[in-house]
């Protein structure tokens, strides 16, 4: 009985499929919404910060010619300024959050689409998604050709860096990476050929 219990205890638990098949060991149904919600939160935070400052400066500029002269007047002046600043920050936060969330979701969605189409998840799909989104972003904002080229170069660097980090994490966790498996086969083939040649020379 004790031997059977020890055998059961020694059997390792099966590794979940998403650990070895999904990017960052996170299922796509969780990873993409998580990235979108994070982008929304970051965009909203940045937008609120920028919107409050802009709205406050605009309020001061619009009322510079009619500043209050009494204590009660200054009270209502600052009260109105704070209200306008908060409202402006909320609007800018919602606008920037929605914008960053949209482009982030597009990038991760295109990346997932290429993963499914090619049957492998590697940095080449990430680079393609980043460059595609940067091109659409440049067209949407009507960037000049030099600005669009600069945006594409930045997207290329970001795609290589982020995709490379994902691939390294995947290799560590045992997720098959297409080009890495190809290189391993090539290197293994060269080693086997070298060993066979060495054996023939010895014989």
């Amino acid at each position: 009985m004790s031997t059977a219990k020890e055998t059961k205890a020694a059997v390792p638990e099966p590794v979940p499929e998403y650990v070895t098949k999904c990017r960052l060991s996170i299922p796509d149904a969780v990873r993409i919404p998580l990235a979108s919600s994070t982008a929304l939160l970051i965009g909203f935070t940045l937008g609120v910060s920028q919107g409050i400052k802009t709205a406050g400066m605009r309020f001061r500029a619009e009322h510079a010619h009619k500043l209050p002269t009494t204590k009660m007047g200054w009270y209502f002046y600052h009260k109105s300024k704070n209200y306008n600043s908060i409202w402006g920050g909320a609007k800018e936060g919602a606008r920037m959050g929605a914008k960053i969330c949209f482009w982030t979701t597009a990038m991760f969605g295109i990346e997932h689409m290429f993963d499914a189409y090619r049957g492998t998840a590697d940095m080449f799909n990430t680079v393609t998604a980043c460059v595609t989104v940067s091109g659409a972003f440049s067209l949407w904002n009507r960037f000049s050709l030099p600005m669009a080229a600069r945006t594409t170069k930045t997207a290329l660097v970001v795609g290589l860096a982020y995709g490379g980090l994902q691939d390294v994490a995947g290799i560590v966790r045992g997720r098959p990476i297409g080009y890495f498996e190809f290189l391993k086969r090539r290197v293994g083939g060269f080693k086997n050929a070298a060993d066979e040649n060495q054996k023939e020379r010895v014989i």
Side-chain angles (χ1 to χ4, degrees):
M1 292 294 291
S2 61
T3 306
K5 289 182 179 179
E6 289 177 359
T7 304
K8 289 183 180 180
V11 175
E13 295 183 0
V15 179
E17 186 178 4
Y18 65 82
V19 173
T20 57
K21 289 190 176 181
C22 298
R23 290 177 178 270
L24 302 176
S25 299
I26 303 175
D28 295 323
V30 176
R31 183 174 60 88
I32 296 176
L34 181 62
S36 301
S37 58
T38 303
L40 177 64
L41 179 61
I42 293 173
F44 180 78
T45 303
L46 294 175
V48 167
S49 177
Q50 180 180 342
I52 287 176
K53 293 179 181 178
T54 303
M57 293 174 64
R58 184 184 299 114
F59 184 88
R60 286 197 297 268
E62 291 175 351
H63 296 79
H65 63 286
K66 51 179 180 180
L67 293 175
T69 56
T70 63
K71 186 176 181 180
M72 185 62 67
W74 278 110
Y75 168 78
F76 284 111
Y77 173 87
H78 287 292
K79 184 177 181 180
S80 300
K81 176 178 169 292
N82 291 337
Y83 172 80
N84 279 273
S85 297
I86 293 172
W87 177 241
K91 288 194 296 183
E92 182 63 20
R95 188 185 70 83
M96 187 174 291
K99 184 187 295 185
I100 295 179
C101 177
F102 171 78
W103 293 111
T104 301
T105 304
M107 194 283 287
F108 279 90
I110 293 172
E111 180 189 54
H112 175 66
M113 181 184 69
F114 278 104
D115 288 348
Y117 176 75
R118 293 182 60 231
T120 181
D122 53 31
M123 68 177 179
F124 298 110
N125 297 340
T126 307
V127 170
T128 303
C130 289
V131 171
T132 302
V133 170
S134 71
F137 183 77
S138 299
L139 287 174
W140 178 264
N141 290 281
R142 298 180 180 178
F143 287 164
S144 62
L145 191 58
M147 186 64 181
R150 197 177 301 116
T151 304
T152 303
K153 288 179 182 178
T154 303
L156 181 62
V157 172
V158 171
L160 286 171
Y162 179 61
L165 288 174
Q166 289 188 94
D167 288 355
V168 170
I171 291 169
V172 171
R173 288 179 169 85
R175 179 168 64 87
I177 308 295
Y179 66 88
F180 183 74
E181 297 297 324
F182 173 77
L183 291 175
K184 278 204 308 185
R185 288 194 299 268
R186 295 288 291 180
V187 172
F190 289 143
K191 285 184 178 179
N192 292 334
D195 292 341
E196 290 178 2
N197 291 335
Q198 188 67 25
K199 289 179 181 178
E200 290 177 358
R201 289 178 183 177
V202 172
I203 294 173

